[in-house]
Amino acid sequence: MPESKVRKKAAYTPPPDKKQPIKLDTGNRVVLPLMIGCFVLGLLWIVVYYLSDMKYPVPQLHGWNMAVGFGLIITGFITSMKWK
């Protein structure tokens, strides 16, 4: 019976992993509290507007109080894109 040829190349060995040190980004410390604060403040603004029979938080704004509340919530969502 004929013998098979011997492999001349060495078996592939992957290179060792180069571990990079984790960089702590101190600029993101503000993002999470700002995001949560905008969500909560926007929600509270809308809830107070409805529960106060549309007299508070700013009576001169009338229906624009809803826009302020939703604007704060949208600001929270925009801020969430910066959070890592």
Side-chain angles (χ1 to χ4, degrees):
M1 178 173 268
E3 291 184 23
S4 61
K5 293 183 181 181
V6 179
R7 186 175 183 147
K8 293 179 183 178
K9 287 174 119 180
Y12 174 75
T13 55
D17 292 337
K18 294 180 181 179
K19 293 185 179 180
Q20 295 180 356
I22 299 173
K23 294 179 182 178
L24 295 176
D25 190 8
T26 57
N28 283 338
R29 290 183 182 180
V30 171
V31 175
L32 184 63
L34 181 65
M35 177 182 69
I36 293 173
C38 285
F39 284 144
V40 170
L41 188 61
L43 180 66
L44 285 176
W45 192 285
I46 293 171
V47 168
V48 167
Y49 178 65
Y50 274 122
L51 291 180
S52 69
D53 199 26
M54 301 179 187
K55 294 179 183 175
Y56 296 106
V58 181
Q60 293 84 7
L61 290 180
H62 302 292
W64 285 99
N65 278 309
M66 292 294 293
V68 172
F70 279 114
L72 287 167
I73 293 172
I74 290 170
T75 303
F77 278 115
I78 291 170
T79 308
S80 71
M81 289 187 257
K82 301 290 183 186
W83 183 44
K84 294 180 182 179

